[in-house]
Amino acid sequence: KGYISEKNNSYDLRIGIPKILIGKLHTNNISVQLNNHNGYPHLSAYLQQGKRKSKAITFNADVEARQDSILTSVNWFNKDTIVNKGDINSLVVFDAIDNALTAQVHLLPSSFILRDSLWNLSSGPIEWRKDTTLHIDNFSLSNSTQHIYINGVMGRSLSASLKLNLKQIDLGY
């Protein structure tokens, strides 16, 4: 339900789905809203994952587009005990340099809990440059026993160097 007003150049569209069952995957109370109440496109999404409400994990996402950027917030939590909980925020800034699109991702420092383990996320800017290189500045994802550290440049040039430091990370399937 919702509305689209050409006269006011505004819209507000809402979708609600009470339940989806796919095999053992139980998803409840799905809602998605798209509007431009503040003059910019804004998307909100919400859902609960799990059979029982006491054990369900709730997910929320908000995405807002501005003139040259996208602000994103994603969070999740479970109600009964804090086994899974987190809030990750990012800002992506776009630019066109010599008719080539560039993007700079700013991950705001965050802590979150996954399966009873506290993880910390931090990073300097991650940049996609017009020369098609990806510059990663001190990306860090870690908990008390594991970590992923990434720093450097990925690209077609042989001089591009990306340093990856992994501790107790299982790459196999």
Side-chain angles (χ1 to χ4, degrees):
K1 63 180 161 176
Y3 68 87
I4 298 173
S5 172
E6 289 183 35
K7 178 181 176 185
N8 297 327
N9 196 24
S10 63
Y11 54 88
D12 189 345
L13 306 169
R14 299 171 190 219
I15 299 170
I17 302 170
K19 185 181 288 190
I20 293 178
L21 302 173
I22 302 172
K24 293 183 179 182
L25 183 66
H26 295 261
T27 306
N28 303 303
N29 302 324
I30 302 164
S31 67
V32 178
Q33 181 178 8
L34 178 63
N35 66 50
N36 67 342
H37 289 186
N38 59 4
Y40 297 101
H42 182 257
L43 174 73
S44 295
Y46 170 91
L47 65 87
Q48 288 182 325
Q49 185 79 49
K51 280 185 184 179
R52 296 182 305 215
K53 285 190 177 188
S54 64
K55 300 278 185 185
I57 299 174
T58 300
F59 294 91
N60 294 297
D62 282 299
V63 180
E64 185 168 298
R66 293 287 174 139
Q67 294 168 341
D68 62 352
S69 61
I70 297 174
L71 180 63
T72 304
S73 176
V74 176
N75 64 64
W76 64 93
F77 61 92
N78 56 316
K79 292 181 181 180
D80 60 342
T81 59
I82 301 176
V83 177
N84 297 291
K85 180 180 181 177
D87 192 4
I88 298 175
N89 298 292
S90 69
L91 174 66
V92 181
V93 179
F94 298 96
D95 198 359
I97 299 173
D98 298 331
N99 292 325
L101 181 66
T102 64
Q104 190 174 75
V105 178
H106 301 273
L107 293 172
L108 302 179
S110 305
S111 295
F112 54 90
I113 299 169
L114 288 178
R115 297 183 181 174
D116 285 331
S117 181
L118 178 64
W119 288 84
N120 295 297
L121 172 68
S122 66
S123 180
I126 300 170
E127 295 181 74
W128 176 260
R129 295 189 179 169
K130 74 175 194 163
D131 62 0
T132 69
T133 57
L134 181 66
H135 294 249
I136 301 174
D137 185 21
N138 295 317
F139 175 88
S140 172
L141 178 62
S142 63
N143 67 21
S144 62
T145 60
Q146 300 169 285
H147 70 240
I148 300 171
Y149 301 142
I150 305 171
N151 192 55
V153 179
M154 283 178 50
R156 296 178 186 161
S157 169
L158 293 176
S159 65
S161 172
L162 186 69
K163 294 177 184 174
L164 181 63
N165 183 330
L166 304 175
K167 179 182 176 189
Q168 299 288 358
I169 303 295
D170 183 8
L171 298 177
Y173 283 94

